[in-house]
Amino acid sequence: LKNPVENRNEICPLEFFKANDIKIRDIASGWYHNLAIDEDDNVYSWGENTFGQCGDSNLTKSINCPAKIKYFQENNIKIKSIQCGSNHSLVITMND
């Protein structure tokens, strides 16, 4: 597991979104992880994932570049907003 403090400069969110022409409408930050939602309601996460706060079941890896959380799209769930706590994440759906 990488040390998130020592490897902060390896995280590449701005380059990822720019290179993929993704327009972000909201972003939230926790202690060492982040969520972003684009204008098509896709949710992306990156950073430390020790507690699954990035939506990835592999708790031993950090996510260096933003990765789409496919669960919402696969289940046709529209997201209204996102929030992050120190070690957790929250999404509010259009149905909430």
Side-chain angles (χ1 to χ4, degrees):
L1 183 63
K2 290 185 176 183
N3 180 326
V5 174
E6 292 176 8
N7 294 299
R8 277 187 281 204
N9 293 334
E10 292 183 24
I11 298 175
C12 59
L14 296 178
E15 293 85 1
F16 172 84
F17 293 125
K18 185 177 179 181
N20 291 288
D21 197 32
I22 298 169
K23 302 203 179 3
I24 298 302
R25 70 173 171 93
D26 196 9
I27 192 164
S29 296
W31 197 339
Y32 292 114
H33 75 288
N34 305 279
L35 293 179
I37 186 168
D38 69 16
E39 50 189 22
D40 295 322
D41 297 325
N42 295 304
V43 179
Y44 298 83
S45 65
W46 67 98
E48 182 65 33
N49 190 52
T50 306
F51 302 101
Q53 62 268 47
C54 288
D56 190 310
S57 61
N58 184 347
L59 305 182
T60 62
K61 76 173 188 177
S62 292
I63 301 169
N64 290 334
C65 286
K68 187 186 296 185
I69 301 175
K70 297 176 185 174
Y71 176 84
F72 304 114
Q73 188 174 25
E74 291 170 351
N75 292 283
N76 199 29
I77 298 171
K78 300 291 183 192
I79 305 301
K80 186 187 306 184
S81 65
I82 53 176
Q83 298 292 323
C84 291
S86 55
N87 292 311
H88 65 278
S89 298
L90 170 83
V91 299
I92 299 175
T93 68
M94 295 294 187
N95 294 332
D96 290 336

